[in-house]
Amino acid sequence: MTQKPEEPEEREQLQKIRAGDVRTASRLIRNLEDESPEARNAMKRIFPYTGRAHVVGITGSPGAGKSTLVDALIASFRKQRKGVGVLAVDPTSPFTGGAILGDRIRMQRHAEDPGVFVRSLATRGALGGLSKAVGDAVHVMDVMGKELILVETVGTGQQEVEIINHSHTVIVVLVPGMGDEIQAIKAGIMEIADIFVINKADRDGSHQLLNELMAMLNMVPEFPGGWRPPVIRIGNCFDPGPFAESLGELAAAINDHYRSLVETDLLGDRMKRKTMVEIHEALRDAILAPILKEMTESGEMEEIAGRLLRKETDPYTIAEEVARRRLK
Amino acid sequence: MTEKKIRIMVAKPGLDGHDRGARILARCFRDAGFEVIYTGCHQTPEQIAATAIQEDVDLVGLSCLSGAHRYLFPRVVELLKEQGADDIVVIGGGIIPDQDFQTLYDAGIKAIFTPGSPLDTIVRWVRTNIRPRVNL
């Protein structure tokens, strides 16, 4: 699509976002979630200014303490005078399409701090632990000048690893008592951590979990860029002294990891990973989505479903036919 | 383009820990297909206004059972207005005496639902009166 000449409102929107205006940014994120074409056009103008923020993903099972950790991290990075953006994802009901977005309950003490922008997102059917709009929402916060962007995934199981495509540093939050040592060597979420947190470490079983993680890490022959994921134990948040201390350790590890990515040039790799995902998604939206829409609206999809159920044809033949017909 | 979702914030302003009603309402809005931001108890009007703007909600539902609604509800409306966000609709509920209704309506509260209001009446009110926004 060729560039139209810029409208004054569009220029104003970009300027406001670059100046950190929350209302404009939040509205744009909303329109991105609703997949409005205007929002996509806005992203074309925003994209050139992206790529400055340090994006940190926080993932772990439901109730592991992700939101509480995010709250503590906001406080810690605000002390370093960094602007902080938070994207907190909670699940959408597969039945009604509704959602309860409750992560920010834990973060409300920062609500009035102009240096902090917290935005809740519903997954809206996305399966990887995030929502489809997360990538673009990160860009918007980045262009607002947020130096640190924390992305909190939904409570995850073993397989929701999409966060690696959208962050430079991934924190996997574990709690004691979730399973035996086999869990620690499984594929999936245990492989994506740049930093492990053993949360609620005052509970029984935290030493065992630490040992299992160490044993797992000791089996890795070589870490990319020489970064061995540190394991940080964080205890009860109502025990302020030790909590603050371990939190300081976590904040330092986040900064160290970013420095290590820059020094070893791995930052470029991670950014490329995100770019590849974005172009795949944009192509899907531009090529596949209109075809599906048209086939659904014209009733062709219904008719195909009937033929498939009667075994008159198969999905592979249909796909080849559609490709021949539409992608000329 | 996918459908435009209605986003609603359910908030409890002031010193009031009775949140069963607010939670039931949050759940009921979820079941109606809305996205609900729930912020828990003990929120200041300032926190509520800032959150409503950060979350770009269409509607703020305030629940107050402490008797301080005559200050708290209008204050939220006022703060939203000051921050150029008076397109966000504010409604209220809780223990609100009949004689306070007009004061609250005059202050910009668009609807008031007291104990005993059927949930589907509230949902219907939202569907009739709230249109998710389109413009920039």
Side-chain angles (χ1 to χ4, degrees):
Chain A
M1 211 177 294
T2 47
Q3 292 283 331
K4 279 188 308 179
E6 240 178 44
E7 303 288 334
E9 311 88 68
E10 294 175 343
R11 201 164 39 239
E12 196 192 327
Q13 180 195 36
L14 178 60
Q15 277 164 358
K16 278 185 166 172
I17 290 173
R18 291 190 71 195
D21 183 71
V22 170
R23 193 152 163 72
T24 313
S26 181
R27 177 62 51 87
L28 175 57
I29 292 175
R30 171 114 186 243
N31 290 335
L32 287 164
E33 290 189 279
D34 289 338
E35 299 186 32
S36 94
E38 296 82 27
R40 188 163 316 146
N41 284 330
M43 289 313 294
K44 293 180 192 167
R45 293 184 291 275
I46 278 178
F47 190 79
Y49 301 99
T50 61
R52 289 180 303 172
H54 178 196
V55 186
V56 177
I58 294 148
T59 190
S61 52
K66 297 181 292 298
S67 304
T68 304
L69 275 183
V70 168
D71 168 69
L73 284 173
I74 297 172
S76 171
F77 282 95
R78 287 300 291 147
K79 280 197 196 115
Q80 300 173 26
R81 300 191 181 282
K82 287 189 178 169
V84 180
V86 176
L87 292 165
V89 188
D90 263 332
T92 293
S93 159
F95 302 111
T96 66
I100 296 213
L101 309 172
D103 288 327
R104 68 177 298 149
I105 294 180
R106 316 264 172 243
M107 312 170 196
Q108 277 305 85
R109 63 173 163 147
H110 305 291
E112 287 177 73
D113 178 349
V116 179
F117 176 18
V118 179
R119 183 63 160 70
S120 315
L121 302 169
T123 55
R124 299 201 183 179
L127 294 175
L130 295 175
S131 95
K132 197 176 168 216
V134 156
D136 285 336
V138 165
H139 283 324
V140 173
M141 287 187 164
D142 183 356
V143 172
M144 287 174 82
K146 300 296 176 206
E147 288 139 300
L148 183 82
I149 299 171
L150 301 166
V151 180
E152 179 183 337
T153 70
V154 300
T156 51
Q158 297 173 313
Q159 179 72 61
E160 294 95 331
V161 294
E162 209 187 293
I163 188 68
I164 58 170
N165 295 325
H166 294 284
S167 40
H168 307 121
T169 303
V170 175
I171 302 175
V172 171
V173 183
L174 303 168
V175 285
M178 295 288 281
D180 64 14
E181 62 268 30
I182 301 304
Q183 300 300 335
I185 56 171
K186 282 190 180 166
I189 203 159
M190 297 300 288
E191 296 176 285
I192 65 171
D194 298 303
I195 299 168
F196 281 106
V197 167
I198 298 181
N199 210 17
K200 312 188 190 186
D202 49 317
R203 293 192 179 173
D204 282 352
S206 87
H207 287 283
Q208 195 195 342
L209 180 55
L210 178 67
N211 288 340
E212 284 159 9
L213 280 177
M214 287 302 177
M216 177 195 87
L217 291 168
N218 288 340
M219 281 161 55
V220 177
E222 198 187 345
F223 294 100
W227 176 266
R228 180 187 160 114
V231 181
I232 298 167
R233 299 170 68 217
I234 298 182
N236 192 337
C237 63
F238 294 111
D239 194 0
F243 183 72
E245 199 177 308
S246 47
L247 220 281
E249 212 184 311
L250 176 60
I254 290 171
N255 286 336
D256 288 348
H257 181 251
Y258 192 69
R259 210 169 304 126
S260 149
L261 286 177
V262 173
E263 281 164 9
T264 56
D265 234 10
L266 283 174
L267 188 64
D269 283 7
R270 301 230 168 169
M271 288 177 138
K272 189 173 165 196
R273 194 155 66 186
K274 170 160 182 171
T275 309
M276 293 307 287
V277 170
E278 281 173 334
I279 187 67
H280 279 224
E281 210 158 89
L283 284 171
R284 240 194 321 268
D285 285 350
I287 300 171
L288 183 59
I291 296 179
L292 287 174
K293 184 164 180 260
E294 202 193 305
M295 288 174 69
T296 309
E297 282 171 1
S298 69
E300 193 184 345
M301 207 59 111
E302 271 301 303
E303 185 249 336
I304 289 174
R307 280 166 60 205
L308 287 174
L309 288 171
R310 293 189 298 272
K311 307 280 183 218
E312 291 167 12
T313 181
D314 62 88
Y316 320 101
T317 309
I318 296 280
E320 282 170 11
E321 268 172 31
V322 172
R324 251 198 312 278
R325 201 151 28 97
R326 311 261 175 168
L327 301 177
K328 274 296 155 212
Chain B
M1 193 194 312
T2 60
E3 59 171 326
K4 296 191 177 301
K5 287 261 177 186
I6 292 179
R7 283 170 73 86
I8 300 179
M9 175 178 172
V10 175
K12 286 197 60 67
L15 297 174
D16 165 17
H18 301 86
D19 63 346
R20 175 169 298 201
R23 286 186 199 202
I24 286 176
L25 207 58
R27 164 76 196 265
C28 143
F29 284 152
R30 182 201 85 177
D31 291 342
F34 307 144
E35 289 185 354
V36 186
I37 291 94
Y38 182 58
T39 49
C41 300
H42 311 310
Q43 301 288 297
T44 65
E46 286 76 9
Q47 283 175 312
I48 291 170
T51 303
I53 291 172
Q54 289 181 21
E55 296 287 353
D56 194 30
V57 294
D58 300 295
L59 174 71
V60 176
L62 298 171
S63 159
C64 179
L65 287 76
S66 72
H69 51 269
R70 291 212 305 182
Y71 168 73
L72 293 165
F73 289 6
R75 182 71 184 133
V76 172
V77 177
E78 204 175 285
L79 286 162
L80 286 172
K81 196 167 187 179
E82 276 170 21
Q83 293 167 64
D86 49 359
D87 53 333
I88 299 177
V89 175
V90 180
I91 62 175
I95 309 292
I96 318 270
D98 291 350
Q99 67 264 32
D100 289 349
F101 276 37
Q102 199 53 51
T103 320
L104 295 177
Y105 290 143
D106 292 345
I109 309 298
K110 291 285 186 284
I112 298 161
F113 297 99
T114 47
S117 307
L119 292 172
D120 45 0
T121 308
I122 304 176
V123 170
R124 203 173 318 120
W125 189 92
V126 174
R127 286 199 204 283
T128 316
N129 292 280
I130 303 296
R131 289 273 161 276
R133 291 159 300 189
V134 204
N135 56 332
L136 289 179

